[in-house]
Amino acid sequence: MKIDFKQLFLVGIVLCVNQLSMAQARLPQLVSDGMVLQRDTKLNIWGWASPGEKVNVKFHQKNYKTTTLPNGKWSVLIGAMKSGGPYTMDINASNHIIINDILIGDVWFCSGQSNMVLPIERVKEKYPQEIAKANYPEIRNFFIPTISNVNQIAEDLPKSKWMACDSNNVLQFGAASYFFAKRLFDKYHVPIGIINSSVGGTPIQAWISENGFDSLPTYHNRVIQLQDTAYLHQLQPAVNYAEENKQINLHDKGLNGEKTWFDTTYKALNWHHFWLPGYWADQGVKGLNGIVWFRKEFNLPACMAGKPAKLFMGRIVDADDAYVNSVLVGSTTYQYPPRRYTIPSGILKAGKNIIVIKISNTAGKGGFVPDKPYFISVGKDTIDLRGDWQYQVGEVFEITKGSFVHEPFVAQNEPAGLYNTMVAPVIPYKIKGIVWYQGESNTDKPNDYKKLLPALITDWRNKWNEGTIPFIYVQLPNFMEVQYSPSESHWAELRQAQLNALSMPNTAMTVNIGLGEWNDIHPLDKKDVGDRLALAAEHLAYDDTAIVSSGPIYKSAKIEGNKIIVSFTGVGHGLKINNSNELTQFAIAGADKKYVWADAIIKNNQVVVWNDTVSHPFYVRYAWADNPEGANLYNADGLPASPFSTDPDQ
């Protein structure tokens, strides 16, 4: 028999082409190696393949069969399982997929803005022992990379993966969500999966779906407007920072003289004195947006010379480049990250050394944030960098229309811009509950937040279709300068909006007054934040009704003569004054709403408030400030009271 190899070759090509023309079965990013699936509920496993293709899912000794729909989607429901693992899942279609190391436990969807993003790496100096001991292979984290779209719902998430907790991987875990997961795991010994879907600087409206704005016409109309492609093309595009920095540097005297100002041979003549840390607006430079260079000479002992070192420059507003002995050792493009730069070996020398910091700032006070660490460390030895420096202005920015200071269209800040891409693709995945840490970006419009937070809760619950799934959120901590007289505060108003949302069923709020920092919107204490979230979850989601999970929460107020008697829930084992002999941060007002500081005492687990100058009181406020320093109403279980106002208009 004569074999026609040419014909066989052609037939083979045709078969291969036909096979390739069929889309192979594929899975969403979440359904992958190392995933944690929610226990005690039917599980949805889904994916895509060719229309009409047979798909078989084998899991835990059971087979689940389906056929792909005409739109290419398929899904199967897997029976509820108890916690355990690791397991393997086999998926057979035109191709074969194996998913390994699957755990069954509790899955929490953790979302919000930068304080939910903030990784353990950012707080590693605060928690070295926690990091060293972070060996929890049954705690898994899935971090969703940022992606946004205002007019199209994404089919799947950007590429990512599940990561098991060890002392290396944990540095990439969100700090608040890690400590939350760790406490739950330590108590219940059930695998914990964290899906971290959060983006720094984003407003709450970006996380709500189009349908979620049905009762909010301003935001709903904006969603409709953004669906107009022609309108989108007219919007100001995002800033090309690389190009703008290039243009700025063309006019910076520090880079365009005979010698650059970071050169060790440059002679710093007629520079001005500056006391570090501090802002240049507080040290004789008024209203300057631009580039300012700072310089310090210091002597280094011979025992520290030549060795690798760390440069800690606290926090800088806004962008900086740091040079040591003419060598660029680090740069940061915005104000929030702590400046921790590595100085390679061989750069530091015995005797005189020079540090030069170039700062660019376009709004507000530029400079070095007080109460932050400023030093060089070589092993256990340190050089304190606080004190007398020199400065010189390199460039003054001309703020004009069309310059680099503008607010371009950014999809991640628009209504539904993040829901479409970072929430919607997660909805098919079964979860235990939701943790939310956000609000800083909405403090300019706290009244809107009164409607937006309930809208988000309702919207997500409707989408997951799990009834009143547990929703736990962080009330904003203290931040910014302390004010010593009763005052108005957008941050206090937003906290009140968060407090009001407790009226929604199956919600819990953690109070974090005392955990913030006046000079940093990203406070380092994320362990107490995570522990309080876990405490709330223990009560709300794990039915631990005996546990005291909240501090005092305002319930009602009764006027008796010249006094107002305030009652609370969350009293626990009794109200108490924390670290003091008298209650502080209570203010009282008459019908005119002119608040004055009040006397306050605890009596019968209520707080009695008065001021002898206010004979007919109407309203009480507690901890009503951006940074209510000294707020000290707690319960005996060590949990702080929420700030509140009895004024129904707030």
Side-chain angles (χ1 to χ4, degrees):
M1 175 179 174
K2 184 177 180 181
I3 299 175
D4 190 336
F5 288 102
K6 184 176 180 180
Q7 186 175 4
L8 281 177
F9 179 71
L10 291 174
V11 169
I13 290 177
V14 170
L15 288 173
C16 287
V17 169
N18 287 338
Q19 183 71 21
L20 289 172
S21 67
M22 296 179 62
Q24 289 192 324
R26 60 185 177 89
L27 300 171
Q29 293 292 320
L30 277 168
V31 182
S32 55
D33 289 349
M35 66 179 173
V36 180
L37 295 172
Q38 181 58 44
R39 61 176 170 154
D40 301 331
T41 187
K42 290 185 177 180
L43 298 168
N44 183 42
I45 301 298
W46 76 101
W48 303 269
S50 296
E53 186 169 352
K54 304 290 186 182
V55 179
N56 181 71
V57 177
K58 183 179 180 181
F59 186 56
H60 205 232
Q61 301 177 336
K62 292 184 179 180
N63 288 298
Y64 304 87
K65 297 180 179 182
T66 189
T67 301
T68 305
L69 298 172
N71 62 5
K73 294 181 180 179
W74 60 265
S75 66
V76 297
L77 271 182
I78 291 177
M81 297 174 61
K82 298 297 182 183
S83 62
Y87 301 113
T88 298
M89 182 180 291
D90 278 270
I91 299 172
N92 281 290
S94 60
N95 55 317
H96 182 207
I97 301 172
I98 300 177
I99 307 173
N100 297 302
D101 192 25
I102 301 169
L103 299 179
I104 308 295
D106 289 334
V107 181
W108 288 88
F109 185 71
C110 298
S111 187
Q113 58 181 107
S114 52
N115 275 302
M116 186 63 88
V117 177
L118 192 132
I120 288 285
E121 195 280 332
R122 282 274 293 274
V123 296
K124 63 184 179 183
E125 285 85 15
K126 186 173 179 66
Y127 301 111
Q129 294 304 315
E130 291 279 359
I131 294 169
K133 296 177 181 178
N135 183 26
Y136 292 93
E138 290 188 323
I139 297 177
R140 308 280 175 87
N141 187 72
F142 187 97
F143 185 80
I144 300 175
T146 298
I147 186 171
S148 56
N149 193 310
V150 294
N151 56 17
Q152 185 175 355
I153 293 179
E155 181 181 61
D156 195 9
L157 298 169
K159 186 175 182 180
S160 189
K161 62 181 180 179
W162 289 93
M163 297 178 66
C165 177
D166 59 33
S167 57
N168 182 49
N169 287 344
V170 76
L171 295 174
Q172 300 177 54
F173 284 37
S177 59
Y178 167 69
F179 288 118
F180 166 76
K182 177 179 178 292
R183 179 177 172 118
L184 292 180
F185 180 81
D186 284 341
K187 182 168 184 176
Y188 298 109
H189 304 290
V190 170
I192 302 291
I194 294 295
I195 301 173
N196 192 321
S197 180
S198 45
V199 180
T202 54
I204 189 172
Q205 58 266 27
W207 297 96
I208 301 173
S209 78
E210 177 185 348
N211 305 84
F213 297 113
D214 287 346
S215 61
L216 297 166
T218 299
Y219 295 95
H220 179 76
N221 292 340
R222 179 62 173 169
V223 171
I224 301 302
Q225 185 181 41
L226 292 172
Q227 291 176 351
D228 183 342
T229 305
Y231 173 76
L232 279 177
H233 288 160
Q234 296 173 7
L235 295 177
Q236 173 65 50
V239 181
N240 185 337
Y241 287 106
E243 183 59 32
E244 288 192 345
N245 286 335
K246 190 184 298 181
Q247 295 300 317
I248 290 168
N249 289 337
L250 289 175
H251 305 286
D252 181 2
K253 295 176 184 177
L255 296 175
N256 294 289
E258 185 177 337
K259 289 186 177 179
T260 56
W261 290 357
F262 61 82
D263 194 315
T264 54
T265 62
Y266 170 77
K267 302 297 182 184
L269 302 177
N270 300 317
W271 282 44
H272 312 286
H273 286 284
F274 184 88
W275 193 263
L276 187 147
Y279 303 105
W280 61 66
D282 298 329
Q283 299 195 36
V285 183
K286 183 179 179 181
L288 171 67
N289 290 316
I291 295 174
V292 183
W293 292 74
F294 295 85
R295 176 185 176 97
K296 184 178 181 65
E297 294 184 6
F298 66 96
N299 287 311
L300 190 80
C303 63
M304 298 173 68
K307 299 177 181 178
K310 288 280 189 180
L311 172 64
F312 291 82
M313 290 306 297
R315 195 165 71 80
I316 293 174
V317 182
D318 192 58
D320 71 283
D321 296 310
Y323 300 87
V324 177
N325 292 336
S326 300
V327 177
L328 179 67
V329 296
S331 60
T332 305
T333 58
Y334 65 112
Q335 64 174 285
Y336 294 118
R339 272 49 172 188
R340 302 177 306 199
Y341 299 140
T342 298
I343 304 174
S345 57
I347 291 178
L348 291 175
K349 57 186 179 180
K352 187 178 81 170
N353 292 262
I354 299 175
I355 296 179
V356 176
I357 309 291
K358 170 194 170 185
I359 299 180
S360 302
N361 191 54
T362 59
K365 287 185 174 183
F368 303 86
V369 175
D371 296 339
K372 293 291 180 180
Y374 296 88
F375 64 93
I376 286 177
S377 67
V378 180
K380 296 182 179 180
D381 297 317
T382 61
I383 299 289
D384 190 352
L385 297 177
R386 294 172 299 174
D388 199 21
W389 285 55
Q390 295 175 290
Y391 79 88
Q392 186 63 272
V393 177
E395 182 179 355
V396 177
F397 296 153
E398 294 183 12
I399 309 301
T400 59
K401 186 176 181 180
S403 70
F404 55 87
V405 180
H406 54 263
E407 295 185 8
F409 166 74
V410 180
Q412 69 183 39
N413 294 334
E414 296 286 351
L418 292 172
Y419 172 85
N420 291 341
T421 51
M422 297 179 67
V423 181
V426 184
I427 296 298
Y429 205 85
K430 297 288 186 176
I431 60 174
K432 177 77 169 180
I434 297 163
V435 178
W436 177 251
Y437 190 165
Q438 191 276 338
E440 300 91 336
S441 290
N442 288 89
T443 51
D444 60 332
K445 294 181 179 179
N447 281 329
D448 283 10
Y449 209 80
K450 292 178 183 178
K451 296 179 180 179
L452 287 166
L453 181 55
L456 175 87
I457 297 170
T458 300
D459 184 41
W460 286 9
R461 284 175 168 173
N462 287 341
K463 292 298 190 298
W464 258 285
N465 196 27
E466 293 287 341
T468 55
I469 193 168
F471 192 101
I472 304 168
Y473 57 98
V474 177
Q475 189 185 58
L476 292 186
N478 48 300
F479 177 54
M480 294 186 287
E481 290 85 355
V482 174
Q483 292 178 283
Y484 289 92
S485 298
S487 58
E488 300 306 316
S489 163
H490 279 179
W491 276 63
E493 290 181 50
L494 193 128
R495 293 188 196 107
Q496 182 74 26
Q498 294 174 316
L499 177 64
N500 294 346
L502 284 176
S503 63
M504 302 193 71
N506 218 30
T507 57
M509 179 187 76
T510 65
V511 178
N512 298 282
I513 294 297
L515 301 185
E517 299 175 23
W518 78 267
N519 58 3
D520 202 333
I521 203 169
H522 302 127
L524 297 180
D525 188 350
K526 291 295 185 284
K527 185 177 188 303
D528 284 327
V529 173
D531 285 348
R532 290 178 186 178
L533 284 168
L535 198 61
E538 290 167 34
H539 178 79
L540 191 68
Y542 294 87
D543 300 322
D544 193 340
T545 55
I547 198 168
V548 178
S549 61
S550 169
I553 299 294
Y554 169 71
K555 178 182 179 182
S556 63
K558 179 173 64 174
I559 300 172
E560 290 189 358
N562 71 332
K563 295 180 173 63
I564 298 180
I565 301 172
V566 185
S567 298
F568 301 86
T569 60
V571 169
H573 292 89
L575 298 181
K576 77 164 195 175
I577 304 172
N578 190 53
N579 295 328
S580 180
N581 295 320
E582 61 182 24
L583 286 172
T584 61
Q585 285 290 336
F586 279 89
I588 197 167
D592 58 3
K593 298 186 180 182
K594 293 182 179 179
Y595 286 87
V596 294
W597 289 129
D599 296 309
I601 60 170
I602 297 171
K603 186 177 181 180
N604 298 325
N605 276 330
Q606 297 173 308
V607 175
V608 181
V609 187
W610 77 96
N611 182 302
D612 290 336
T613 67
V614 182
S615 56
H616 300 287
F618 271 68
Y619 309 108
V620 168
R621 286 174 172 175
Y622 170 68
W624 195 266
D626 297 337
N627 188 359
E629 185 175 82
N632 60 359
L633 178 62
Y634 279 62
N635 60 24
D637 307 273
L639 295 171
S642 169
F644 68 88
S645 171
T646 64
D647 182 351
D649 293 333
Q650 291 181 322

